[in-house]
Amino acid sequence: MVAGRRGTASLFAFAGLLLAAPAAAQLGKYSLRDLTVVGEFSDITAVATSTDRVYVTSRTSIVVWNPLDRSWSGPWLAPQPGMLRDVLAGIADQLGGGVWLIRQAGWVYFDPVIGTWDSGTVPGRVLSAALDEGAPGSGLFLSTTGGWYLASRGGMALPSGPPMRPIRPATVGEATRQNPAISATSASLLTITRLRNVQFTAAARGSGFTGIGWYMGTLGAGLLFYPDGGGLPEPMPFGLPGGVPTAVFPGNGGVWVVTARSIEADAAVSFVSADLSRFHWWQGPLATGFPFTSARRMVGRGGELWLATDVGAVRLRPRDEEVQRFDFGNGLPDSRVTDIVQRKGTVAIATVRGVVRWQDSTGFEGVAPDFSGTADALALQGDTTWIGTRLGVYLAVQGERNLQQSSGFRASPSFQVRVVDMTWLADTLVVLTPDRLMWRDPGTGKVTLGPLLGASLGRLHTVLAVENGLIVAGDAGVSPTRLDGIPVRILRVPDDLPGQVLDIAVEGVYLWVATAAGLARISLDVLGR
């Protein structure tokens, strides 16, 4: 009896060593509604299905496909770095609304309904895993090099025997045997990934509301669905197809995002709906892809998107999937485009050797053709083009061959500095330098220099006019700002934002921030707006 009691105490002491640390909130302090980071989701590590959900994991987060309304939920970022990096397979909980994820030396349990995470480790290496159909609430059975263990919700694992009626995760081999079309149509994946090789990584059988067929996770093409008796797979994109998001622009009910070319992925343009329920990936023509590596800015004009890229200005018509590039000798004075703006149908393009404007009726026209210096920022006002240079703000009047400078910007040497962006707040021209704002009074022409912002936000690069003021972005943060240049609330990297800030846009009730670590969607309530 004493030995038995001592054995029980030792068993629970051992189990206590397998308890996981409590899960932290996303980025430490934000709810999913307040701040969500959408990243690359073309590489899938596990897929699992319940009667009405499909759970999908990447190396960093989990998303859920809802077949009834054909929408996505999530993403839920893993609360601990590396928690999902070694996931081998997944299996949906038979009773709860969560999913079990099998790792090389442990497990993760996630419940998207209440947003809770549990995880733990077991001695040895995990060989296989299963649920018990006869005891659906018992937990996850793990076969390891050290024997069998039973993991339960709450983060505890105890030595156990094998399940009596095991339900195991499906495998890629099982899927291809049951549906030979998966292997037979694998060549069609080249059209989805623009001729890049694709590898199947995970499989889950759909039934009931999830559809009759196989959900296949891949490396390179995201999630695919192969219906029974069907031919080609149905792509089911979530998030971004890869690369770093470098430019973002508001669209109808969401945002357009440009992701840069990388070793693993081509440059792409994606549409992300505001509620993160729908995504569309576009990687350019099948034979060539997009002609650029990255885009600095993006603007919209009717059904077109215009991009300032490293190889010129690129005009896109997403509905028709048409791509047209303008570079040196084809409308532009230089292929190195630094800025692009649009106002009332006119597009202006800044390069390192001058500025041009585009209108449908005339095509490209040079702006102040005697000016062949670097223009870093533009703002349009009727027939006048305001140009930000390395030596301050100048203007080009239609019909004049060179730039002029208004008396306000000539008034002080403090105004003769590099300009990185400009925008209009009603009739006031707002100018951004690498470390502060300045603005020109439309009535008097007087220019005012704002306080330094660089210490809080890093090197400044973008200013955006919104309903109640301005939003300023720098490499190290973002802040809504009054016209007097005083920040209202600062979101900093890495406490509030996941990586270096590259671009910003506002659509609906959200601020969208393109960062080096993904696309952040932030509720304007967080900014106090």
Side-chain angles (χ1 to χ4, degrees):
M1 177 67 71
V2 174
R5 293 179 64 182
R6 186 166 56 246
T8 301
S10 299
L11 181 65
F12 280 96
F14 170 72
L17 297 176
L18 305 181
L19 293 176
Q26 186 170 11
L27 284 177
K29 53 189 174 184
Y30 294 104
S31 69
L32 196 63
R33 179 191 175 278
D34 286 341
L35 193 153
T36 305
V37 180
V38 178
E40 184 271 332
F41 226 92
S42 62
D43 294 346
I44 305 300
T45 56
V47 184
T49 56
S50 66
T51 57
D52 60 352
R53 292 191 183 109
V54 181
Y55 304 88
V56 187
T57 68
S58 72
R59 296 185 186 94
T60 59
S61 55
I62 296 178
V63 295
V64 173
W65 172 249
N66 306 293
L68 289 176
D69 59 4
R70 297 190 61 80
S71 66
W72 290 97
S73 299
W76 291 273
L77 191 67
Q80 300 165 13
M83 177 183 280
L84 301 179
R85 194 169 298 156
D86 62 346
V87 168
L88 304 173
I91 186 167
D93 189 358
Q94 291 181 283
L95 291 184
V99 61
W100 293 95
L101 302 173
I102 299 99
R103 302 176 63 188
Q104 293 179 2
W107 80 97
V108 173
Y109 182 84
F110 175 67
D111 187 337
V113 177
I114 56 179
T116 57
W117 298 77
D118 296 314
S119 66
T121 59
V122 290
R125 179 169 54 88
V126 174
L127 304 175
S128 64
L131 301 178
D132 193 334
E133 187 177 10
S138 57
L140 179 69
F141 291 83
L142 297 167
S143 172
T144 78
T145 53
W148 280 93
Y149 290 86
L150 177 60
S152 61
R153 281 175 284 179
M156 180 180 291
L158 302 175
S160 169
M164 300 299 293
R165 298 166 60 188
I167 302 175
R168 293 185 172 87
T171 65
V172 171
E174 180 183 352
T176 55
R177 285 192 298 271
Q178 290 192 18
N179 186 352
I182 295 175
S183 297
T185 61
S186 60
S188 67
L189 300 182
L190 297 178
T191 64
I192 298 174
T193 59
R194 214 189 63 74
L195 304 179
R196 288 180 179 263
N197 290 327
V198 173
Q199 177 183 344
F200 291 119
T201 58
R205 177 69 181 170
S207 61
F209 294 115
T210 59
I212 308 301
W214 284 94
Y215 290 90
M216 304 295 294
T218 72
L219 282 179
L223 181 68
L224 306 173
F225 178 63
Y226 287 83
D228 285 358
L232 298 178
E234 175 190 352
M236 304 182 67
F238 178 89
L240 304 177
V244 173
T246 58
V248 59
F249 181 77
N252 184 17
V255 291
W256 292 95
V257 185
V258 178
T259 46
R261 189 184 311 277
S262 66
I263 296 175
E264 295 83 12
D266 290 311
V269 176
S270 303
F271 183 78
V272 179
S273 68
D275 60 0
L276 305 182
S277 66
R278 291 171 177 82
F279 299 81
H280 176 72
W281 296 349
W282 181 24
Q283 294 177 301
L286 176 62
T288 61
F290 285 122
F292 56 86
T293 295
S294 65
R296 169 77 176 86
R297 297 280 192 203
M298 175 167 45
V299 298
R301 177 180 176 272
E304 301 173 347
L305 296 171
W306 286 72
L307 280 58
T309 80
D310 56 323
V311 293
V314 176
R315 180 173 65 177
L316 308 177
R317 292 190 175 98
R319 178 171 296 179
D320 303 319
E321 296 195 348
E322 294 182 1
V323 181
Q324 187 174 11
R325 182 176 70 169
F326 303 101
D327 54 11
F328 175 68
N330 183 26
L332 302 189
D334 195 280
S335 297
R336 293 165 290 179
V337 176
T338 54
D339 195 19
I340 191 165
V341 297
Q342 186 276 147
R343 194 175 193 188
K344 297 181 179 179
T346 297
V347 176
I349 300 169
T351 77
V352 299
R353 292 183 60 83
V355 179
V356 295
R357 288 166 58 128
W358 164 279
Q359 292 179 322
D360 285 336
S361 59
T362 59
F364 283 112
E365 291 183 327
V367 174
D370 288 347
F371 169 67
S372 59
T374 297
D376 287 318
L378 299 173
L380 295 176
Q381 185 183 37
D383 292 333
T384 299
T385 304
W386 293 85
I387 300 175
T389 74
R390 308 292 169 92
L391 297 173
V393 178
Y394 292 79
L395 59 92
V397 180
Q398 189 173 25
E400 298 293 331
R401 295 195 59 82
N402 215 331
L403 302 183
Q404 305 173 24
Q405 191 169 43
S406 69
S407 58
F409 286 107
R410 290 198 307 267
S412 169
S414 300
F415 305 151
Q416 314 301 310
V417 295
R418 181 179 181 181
V419 174
V420 296
D421 199 15
M422 295 190 290
T423 192
W424 294 100
L425 186 62
D427 294 330
T428 299
L429 179 64
V430 180
V431 178
L432 187 68
T433 75
D435 56 11
R436 69 176 79 206
L437 287 167
M438 55 182 175
W439 53 95
R440 178 181 181 271
D441 186 285
T444 65
K446 178 183 177 182
V447 176
T448 303
L449 200 64
L452 288 171
L453 297 173
S456 301
L457 301 177
R459 182 187 62 86
L460 307 181
H461 53 70
T462 306
V463 58
L464 192 67
V466 292
E467 183 177 354
N468 298 320
L470 303 165
I471 298 179
V472 177
D475 290 343
V478 175
S479 176
T481 305
R482 301 196 300 262
L483 184 57
D484 58 12
I486 298 176
V488 176
R489 163 76 191 276
I490 298 175
L491 300 181
R492 292 183 171 88
V493 179
D495 294 338
D496 308 295
L497 298 168
Q500 177 187 349
V501 177
L502 302 174
D503 197 14
I504 58 173
V506 169
E507 199 285 327
V509 297
Y510 295 109
L511 169 68
W512 300 79
V513 183
T515 80
L519 177 68
R521 188 198 68 175
I522 304 167
S523 170
L524 292 179
D525 292 340
V526 172
L527 301 176
R529 305 193 71 84

Short mmCIF file of all heavy atoms in Angstrom, two decimals, residues 349-385:
data_model
loop_
_atom_site.label_atom_id
_atom_site.label_comp_id
_atom_site.label_asym_id
_atom_site.label_seq_id
_atom_site.Cartn_x
_atom_site.Cartn_y
_atom_site.Cartn_z
N ILE A 349 4.61 60.02 -61.77
CA ILE A 349 5.64 59.04 -61.44
C ILE A 349 6.97 59.77 -61.24
O ILE A 349 7.41 60.53 -62.11
CB ILE A 349 5.78 57.99 -62.56
CG1 ILE A 349 4.44 57.26 -62.75
CG2 ILE A 349 6.89 57.00 -62.25
CD1 ILE A 349 4.39 56.41 -64.00
N ALA A 350 7.60 59.54 -60.10
CA ALA A 350 8.89 60.14 -59.79
C ALA A 350 9.99 59.11 -60.01
O ALA A 350 9.84 57.94 -59.65
CB ALA A 350 8.92 60.63 -58.34
N THR A 351 11.10 59.55 -60.59
CA THR A 351 12.25 58.68 -60.80
C THR A 351 13.51 59.40 -60.33
O THR A 351 13.46 60.55 -59.89
CB THR A 351 12.41 58.30 -62.29
OG1 THR A 351 12.99 59.40 -63.00
CG2 THR A 351 11.08 57.94 -62.93
N VAL A 352 14.64 58.74 -60.45
CA VAL A 352 15.90 59.36 -60.05
C VAL A 352 16.40 60.34 -61.11
O VAL A 352 17.42 61.02 -60.90
CB VAL A 352 16.98 58.30 -59.77
CG1 VAL A 352 16.55 57.39 -58.63
CG2 VAL A 352 17.30 57.50 -61.01
N ARG A 353 15.67 60.45 -62.24
CA ARG A 353 16.07 61.40 -63.29
C ARG A 353 14.86 62.16 -63.84
O ARG A 353 14.70 62.32 -65.05
CB ARG A 353 16.81 60.68 -64.42
CG ARG A 353 18.17 60.12 -64.01
CD ARG A 353 18.89 59.49 -65.18
NE ARG A 353 19.13 60.46 -66.26
CZ ARG A 353 20.14 61.31 -66.29
NH1 ARG A 353 21.02 61.34 -65.28
NH2 ARG A 353 20.30 62.13 -67.30
N GLY A 354 14.00 62.61 -62.94
CA GLY A 354 12.89 63.43 -63.37
C GLY A 354 11.53 62.83 -63.10
O GLY A 354 11.40 61.76 -62.49
N VAL A 355 10.48 63.55 -63.57
CA VAL A 355 9.09 63.22 -63.25
C VAL A 355 8.26 63.25 -64.53
O VAL A 355 8.50 64.07 -65.42
CB VAL A 355 8.51 64.23 -62.23
CG1 VAL A 355 7.05 63.92 -61.92
CG2 VAL A 355 9.35 64.25 -60.96
N VAL A 356 7.28 62.34 -64.62
CA VAL A 356 6.32 62.35 -65.72
C VAL A 356 4.91 62.21 -65.16
O VAL A 356 4.72 61.77 -64.02
CB VAL A 356 6.59 61.21 -66.73
CG1 VAL A 356 7.92 61.40 -67.43
CG2 VAL A 356 6.52 59.85 -66.05
N ARG A 357 3.93 62.62 -65.98
CA ARG A 357 2.52 62.44 -65.65
C ARG A 357 1.85 61.64 -66.76
O ARG A 357 2.24 61.73 -67.93
CB ARG A 357 1.82 63.80 -65.51
CG ARG A 357 2.21 64.55 -64.25
CD ARG A 357 1.78 66.01 -64.26
NE ARG A 357 0.36 66.22 -64.43
CZ ARG A 357 -0.39 66.98 -63.63
NH1 ARG A 357 0.16 67.56 -62.56
NH2 ARG A 357 -1.66 67.18 -63.87
N TRP A 358 0.83 60.86 -66.36
CA TRP A 358 0.09 60.03 -67.31
C TRP A 358 -1.38 60.39 -67.25
O TRP A 358 -1.98 60.48 -66.17
CB TRP A 358 0.26 58.55 -66.99
CG TRP A 358 -0.75 57.66 -67.67
CD1 TRP A 358 -2.03 57.40 -67.28
CD2 TRP A 358 -0.57 56.93 -68.88
NE1 TRP A 358 -2.66 56.56 -68.15
CE2 TRP A 358 -1.79 56.25 -69.15
CE3 TRP A 358 0.49 56.77 -69.76
CZ2 TRP A 358 -1.96 55.43 -70.26
CZ3 TRP A 358 0.32 55.95 -70.86
CH2 TRP A 358 -0.89 55.29 -71.11
N GLN A 359 -1.98 60.58 -68.44
CA GLN A 359 -3.42 60.69 -68.59
C GLN A 359 -3.84 59.85 -69.79
O GLN A 359 -3.07 59.70 -70.76
CB GLN A 359 -3.85 62.15 -68.79
CG GLN A 359 -3.66 63.03 -67.56
CD GLN A 359 -4.07 64.46 -67.80
OE1 GLN A 359 -3.85 65.01 -68.87
NE2 GLN A 359 -4.68 65.07 -66.79
N ASP A 360 -5.05 59.32 -69.75
CA ASP A 360 -5.50 58.47 -70.85
C ASP A 360 -5.47 59.19 -72.19
O ASP A 360 -5.14 58.60 -73.23
CB ASP A 360 -6.92 57.96 -70.57
CG ASP A 360 -6.94 56.87 -69.52
OD1 ASP A 360 -5.91 56.20 -69.34
OD2 ASP A 360 -7.99 56.70 -68.87
N SER A 361 -5.81 60.46 -72.17
CA SER A 361 -5.92 61.20 -73.43
C SER A 361 -4.58 61.54 -74.06
O SER A 361 -4.46 61.67 -75.27
CB SER A 361 -6.72 62.49 -73.21
OG SER A 361 -6.09 63.31 -72.23
N THR A 362 -3.54 61.67 -73.23
CA THR A 362 -2.24 62.13 -73.74
C THR A 362 -1.12 61.12 -73.55
O THR A 362 -0.05 61.27 -74.14
CB THR A 362 -1.84 63.44 -73.05
OG1 THR A 362 -1.76 63.22 -71.64
CG2 THR A 362 -2.85 64.53 -73.35
N GLY A 363 -1.31 60.12 -72.71
CA GLY A 363 -0.22 59.23 -72.37
C GLY A 363 0.76 59.92 -71.45
O GLY A 363 0.37 60.74 -70.60
N PHE A 364 2.06 59.65 -71.59
CA PHE A 364 3.07 60.25 -70.73
C PHE A 364 3.47 61.63 -71.23
O PHE A 364 3.65 61.85 -72.44
CB PHE A 364 4.32 59.37 -70.66
CG PHE A 364 4.16 58.17 -69.76
CD1 PHE A 364 4.12 56.89 -70.29
CD2 PHE A 364 4.04 58.33 -68.39
CE1 PHE A 364 3.98 55.79 -69.48
CE2 PHE A 364 3.90 57.23 -67.57
CZ PHE A 364 3.86 55.96 -68.11
N GLU A 365 3.63 62.55 -70.29
CA GLU A 365 4.15 63.88 -70.57
C GLU A 365 5.19 64.23 -69.52
O GLU A 365 5.00 63.96 -68.32
CB GLU A 365 3.04 64.94 -70.53
CG GLU A 365 2.04 64.83 -71.67
CD GLU A 365 1.01 65.95 -71.61
OE1 GLU A 365 0.67 66.38 -70.49
OE2 GLU A 365 0.57 66.38 -72.69
N GLY A 366 6.30 64.83 -69.95
CA GLY A 366 7.33 65.22 -69.01
C GLY A 366 6.88 66.38 -68.13
O GLY A 366 6.14 67.26 -68.57
N VAL A 367 7.31 66.37 -66.89
CA VAL A 367 7.03 67.45 -65.94
C VAL A 367 8.32 68.24 -65.75
O VAL A 367 9.34 67.67 -65.34
CB VAL A 367 6.53 66.88 -64.60
CG1 VAL A 367 6.38 68.00 -63.56
CG2 VAL A 367 5.21 66.15 -64.78
N ALA A 368 8.28 69.55 -66.06
CA ALA A 368 9.49 70.38 -65.98
C ALA A 368 10.65 69.64 -66.65
O ALA A 368 11.59 69.18 -65.98
CB ALA A 368 9.82 70.73 -64.54
N PRO A 369 10.61 69.48 -67.98
CA PRO A 369 11.57 68.60 -68.67
C PRO A 369 13.03 68.97 -68.49
O PRO A 369 13.90 68.13 -68.70
CB PRO A 369 11.14 68.71 -70.14
CG PRO A 369 10.26 69.91 -70.23
CD PRO A 369 9.62 70.07 -68.90
N ASP A 370 13.33 70.21 -68.08
CA ASP A 370 14.73 70.56 -67.84
C ASP A 370 15.24 70.04 -66.50
O ASP A 370 16.44 70.08 -66.22
CB ASP A 370 14.91 72.08 -67.89
CG ASP A 370 14.81 72.63 -69.30
OD1 ASP A 370 14.84 71.82 -70.25
OD2 ASP A 370 14.67 73.85 -69.45
N PHE A 371 14.33 69.56 -65.65
CA PHE A 371 14.73 68.98 -64.36
C PHE A 371 15.03 67.50 -64.57
O PHE A 371 14.17 66.73 -64.98
CB PHE A 371 13.61 69.16 -63.33
CG PHE A 371 13.82 68.37 -62.06
CD1 PHE A 371 14.86 68.69 -61.20
CD2 PHE A 371 13.00 67.30 -61.74
CE1 PHE A 371 15.07 67.96 -60.03
CE2 PHE A 371 13.19 66.57 -60.58
CZ PHE A 371 14.23 66.90 -59.72
N SER A 372 16.26 67.10 -64.27
CA SER A 372 16.65 65.70 -64.43
C SER A 372 17.27 65.14 -63.16
O SER A 372 18.04 64.19 -63.19
CB SER A 372 17.65 65.56 -65.59
OG SER A 372 18.81 66.35 -65.34
N GLY A 373 16.91 65.75 -62.03
CA GLY A 373 17.42 65.27 -60.75
C GLY A 373 16.51 64.21 -60.14
O GLY A 373 15.51 63.78 -60.72
N THR A 374 16.85 63.81 -58.91
CA THR A 374 16.07 62.79 -58.20
C THR A 374 14.87 63.42 -57.52
O THR A 374 14.99 64.40 -56.79
CB THR A 374 16.94 62.09 -57.15
OG1 THR A 374 18.01 61.42 -57.80
CG2 THR A 374 16.12 61.08 -56.36
N ALA A 375 13.70 62.86 -57.79
CA ALA A 375 12.47 63.24 -57.09
C ALA A 375 12.08 62.07 -56.19
O ALA A 375 11.96 60.94 -56.65
CB ALA A 375 11.37 63.55 -58.08
N ASP A 376 11.89 62.35 -54.91
CA ASP A 376 11.58 61.28 -53.96
C ASP A 376 10.11 61.25 -53.55
O ASP A 376 9.65 60.25 -52.99
CB ASP A 376 12.43 61.43 -52.69
CG ASP A 376 13.88 61.05 -52.93
OD1 ASP A 376 14.11 60.05 -53.63
OD2 ASP A 376 14.77 61.76 -52.44
N ALA A 377 9.37 62.34 -53.79
CA ALA A 377 7.97 62.38 -53.36
C ALA A 377 7.20 63.33 -54.26
O ALA A 377 7.76 64.30 -54.79
CB ALA A 377 7.88 62.84 -51.90
N LEU A 378 5.90 63.05 -54.42
CA LEU A 378 5.05 63.84 -55.30
C LEU A 378 3.72 64.14 -54.63
O LEU A 378 3.24 63.39 -53.78
CB LEU A 378 4.77 63.10 -56.61
CG LEU A 378 5.96 62.73 -57.49
CD1 LEU A 378 5.50 61.85 -58.64
CD2 LEU A 378 6.64 63.99 -58.02
N ALA A 379 3.09 65.27 -55.06
CA ALA A 379 1.72 65.60 -54.69
C ALA A 379 1.13 66.39 -55.85
O ALA A 379 1.78 67.28 -56.41
CB ALA A 379 1.67 66.41 -53.39
N LEU A 380 -0.11 66.07 -56.23
CA LEU A 380 -0.76 66.71 -57.37
C LEU A 380 -1.78 67.72 -56.89
O LEU A 380 -2.51 67.49 -55.91
CB LEU A 380 -1.44 65.66 -58.24
CG LEU A 380 -0.52 64.65 -58.94
CD1 LEU A 380 -1.34 63.61 -59.69
CD2 LEU A 380 0.43 65.36 -59.88
N GLN A 381 -1.85 68.85 -57.62
CA GLN A 381 -2.84 69.89 -57.35
C GLN A 381 -3.20 70.55 -58.68
O GLN A 381 -2.54 71.46 -59.15
CB GLN A 381 -2.27 70.94 -56.38
CG GLN A 381 -3.28 71.99 -55.94
CD GLN A 381 -2.64 73.04 -55.04
OE1 GLN A 381 -1.49 73.41 -55.24
NE2 GLN A 381 -3.39 73.50 -54.04
N GLY A 382 -4.27 70.03 -59.31
CA GLY A 382 -4.65 70.53 -60.62
C GLY A 382 -3.54 70.30 -61.63
O GLY A 382 -3.04 69.18 -61.79
N ASP A 383 -3.12 71.38 -62.31
CA ASP A 383 -2.03 71.28 -63.29
C ASP A 383 -0.66 71.42 -62.65
O ASP A 383 0.36 71.39 -63.35
CB ASP A 383 -2.20 72.35 -64.37
CG ASP A 383 -3.42 72.10 -65.25
OD1 ASP A 383 -3.81 70.92 -65.37
OD2 ASP A 383 -3.98 73.07 -65.79
N THR A 384 -0.62 71.59 -61.34
CA THR A 384 0.65 71.78 -60.63
C THR A 384 1.09 70.46 -60.00
O THR A 384 0.28 69.74 -59.41
CB THR A 384 0.52 72.85 -59.53
OG1 THR A 384 0.16 74.09 -60.14
CG2 THR A 384 1.82 73.02 -58.78
N THR A 385 2.37 70.17 -60.13
CA THR A 385 2.96 68.99 -59.49
C THR A 385 3.96 69.46 -58.45
O THR A 385 4.94 70.14 -58.78
CB THR A 385 3.68 68.10 -60.53
OG1 THR A 385 2.76 67.74 -61.57
CG2 THR A 385 4.21 66.84 -59.87
#
